[in-house]
Amino acid sequence: MTEEETHVAETGAAGADAGTDAGAVDAGALLTALLAERELARTALAEITDAATIGGEAGHEEHEAGVVTLYFESLLAGYPGWRWAATLAKVGADEPVTVLEVELLPGDDAVLAPEWVPWSTRLAQYREAQVRQAEEDAAEAAAAELADIDDVDAEDDIHDNDHSEADSDMHGADVDDDLDDDDDDSDDDDDELGADSESEDEDDVDLDDDDLED
């Protein structure tokens, strides 16, 4: 390589390095310029929502050189954890900042709707749930019926015991009545025997009187 070719190569490499450094400086300058446009972002968001629903600053995200999204807290009722987002762009140092997009995005703690499930899957899940519920209801009904049967059996046992005690009392009363009747019969027999004895004694006395007269 000649001295002239070497000089040209070195000059080209230096120019490339200078261009890279200038590009890096430009990217940093663009980011700084975009981050300074918070009021522009708020104004753009106020076109799609009430300004009172736009809260404080909530960070930013740089997508590429000259493009950044600025985030704001959402004060919108029913959207806890969500953030307002305004994406801004600046294509050159002398170019104005433009608004690319404004929207409401979920944050890390946002309440989200459940993942969409096809109707066929939901129908199958519903039918499975219905079958399980029917089985649970049948098991509960069977358990309640068994409990009722046990209660009835226990009441029958109590009634049977009451009848047995009543029968015992009645039998005891019958035995007492029989004993009383036997005592009465014995007293009657004794009275009859006593009357017969007195009658026989009177007969004997009459006989003795007759003998004496003779």
Side-chain angles (χ1 to χ4, degrees), residues 140-156:
E140 291 178 0
E145 184 176 356
L146 288 176
D148 292 340
I149 292 174
D150 291 340
D151 292 339
V152 170
D153 290 341
E155 291 178 359
D156 290 342

Side-chain angles (χ1 to χ4, degrees), residues 137-212:
D137 292 343
E140 291 178 0
E145 184 176 356
L146 288 176
D148 292 340
I149 292 174
D150 291 340
D151 292 339
V152 170
D153 290 341
E155 291 178 359
D156 290 342
D157 292 340
I158 293 172
H159 291 160
D160 291 341
N161 291 334
D162 292 341
H163 289 315
S164 298
E165 292 177 359
D167 291 341
S168 298
D169 293 339
M170 292 177 64
H171 290 315
D174 292 341
V175 171
D176 292 338
D177 291 341
D178 292 339
L179 291 175
D180 292 338
D181 292 340
D182 292 341
D183 291 339
D184 293 339
D185 293 339
S186 297
D187 292 337
D188 293 339
D189 292 340
D190 292 340
D191 292 339
E192 291 178 357
L193 289 175
D196 292 340
S197 298
E198 291 177 358
S199 178
E200 290 177 357
D201 291 339
E202 290 177 356
D203 291 339
D204 291 339
V205 171
D206 292 339
L207 289 175
D208 291 339
D209 292 337
D210 292 337
D211 292 338
L212 289 175

